[in-house]
Amino acid sequence: MFGIIKKDFYDSFCVPKNLANNVIGLGVIWILALLMGPGEYMMLLLVVVTLPMMSVSVLQYSMEQDELAKFDEILLTYPLSKREIILAKFIDNFLFTVGVSVISFLLMLWYVVGCGVTNMKTGFLYWMAGNVVALFIAAVSSIVFYWLGNKIGTVIYMIMVGVAAFSYVITYLNVPVEKIVALGSWKLLGIGFVISVLALIGSYWGCLKIYTKRHS
C-alpha cells in the first residue's frame, strides 16, 4: 500500500505537467487573495470553496497516469487485495487534503491576523467548514472518477466546481453570513462533518464495488 501512495504522489508532484498545475492553482489562489484585498466574501470563497475543491487533485492525476500506463492491470498482479488498493487511493486523498488544509489555514490567518477581516473564532469556523467541504468533495469525486473514468470524471468534476462557485455566489447574495452563523454554526458544522465522514465510508465501499466489478 505504501508503494501505491508513493507512486501516486510521484505522479502528482514529479510529473512536470501535474506539478505545474498544482503550483499554478495554488499560486492563482494567493494572487487572487492579494489582488482582491481583504474581505469576508473572498475569504469564504477561497477558504471554504476553492481550496477544498483541490483536494481530489492526487486522485485525478494518479488515475490519469494509471490509464496512460495501464497500471491498473499491472497493479492487479501485486500481492494486494482490491480493498487495499482502494484504501491506498483514499489515503492519498486524505493526505493531500491535510496538505491543502494547512495552506487553507495559513490563508485564513492572513485574512484574520494580517487583514483583520474577522475574529479568530469565526475564521477558525470557516477553515473547519472548508475541511468538511473537502471531505465531502473527496467522497463524491471518488465515486465519479471510479465510475466514469478519468476523462469524463474530470469533466464532471469541473462542472461540480462551477456549480459550487455559482451556488456560493447566489447564496452569499441572498443569505448574509451573519444569519448562517446565528443559526448555530458549530452544530451545523458538526452535522456536516458527520455527513462527510459517512459519505467517505459509503464512497469507499462504492468505489470498491465498482473496481471489483470492473476487474473481476
Side-chain angles (χ1 to χ4, degrees), residues 174-188:
N174 290 280
V175 183
V177 175
E178 293 79 7
K179 289 186 179 180
I180 299 175
V181 174
L183 291 174
S185 52
W186 292 101
K187 290 182 180 179
L188 292 174

Side-chain angles (χ1 to χ4, degrees), residues 56 59-60 63 67 140-154 157 214:
V56 297
L59 175 63
Q60 192 270 318
M63 290 193 72
E67 288 182 7
V140 174
S141 298
S142 295
I143 287 288
V144 170
F145 277 108
Y146 273 96
W147 180 28
L148 300 175
N150 174 64
K151 291 183 179 179
I152 300 178
T154 300
Y157 170 71
R214 184 169 295 164

Side-chain angles (χ1 to χ4, degrees), residues 123-202:
F124 187 76
L125 171 67
Y126 293 162
W127 175 69
M128 289 296 294
N131 290 327
V132 170
V133 170
L135 293 176
F136 187 78
I137 290 297
V140 174
S141 298
S142 295
I143 287 288
V144 170
F145 277 108
Y146 273 96
W147 180 28
L148 300 175
N150 174 64
K151 291 183 179 179
I152 300 178
T154 300
V155 173
I156 299 297
Y157 170 71
M158 294 307 297
I159 293 173
M160 288 169 56
V161 172
V163 170
F166 180 75
S167 300
Y168 168 74
V169 172
I170 297 300
T171 301
Y172 186 84
L173 292 175
N174 290 280
V175 183
V177 175
E178 293 79 7
K179 289 186 179 180
I180 299 175
V181 174
L183 291 174
S185 52
W186 292 101
K187 290 182 180 179
L188 292 174
L189 184 66
I191 293 170
F193 176 75
V194 171
I195 292 173
S196 295
V197 171
L198 292 175
L200 271 176
I201 295 172

Side-chain angles (χ1 to χ4, degrees), residues 83 86 98 185:
R83 288 186 179 185
I86 299 300
V98 170
S185 52

Side-chain angles (χ1 to χ4, degrees), residues 45-94:
L45 179 60
L46 298 179
V47 173
V48 180
V49 180
T50 308
L51 272 168
M53 296 297 287
M54 294 184 64
S55 62
V56 297
S57 294
V58 167
L59 175 63
Q60 192 270 318
Y61 294 145
S62 66
M63 290 193 72
E64 178 185 40
Q65 295 302 312
D66 287 352
E67 288 182 7
L68 289 173
K70 300 188 183 303
F71 186 71
D72 263 348
E73 303 300 325
I74 300 171
L75 192 57
L76 292 171
T77 66
Y78 289 3
L80 292 169
S81 68
K82 292 182 176 66
R83 288 186 179 185
E84 290 173 319
I85 293 171
I86 299 300
L87 181 59
K89 297 290 186 180
F90 272 71
I91 292 174
D92 288 346
N93 252 356
F94 178 75

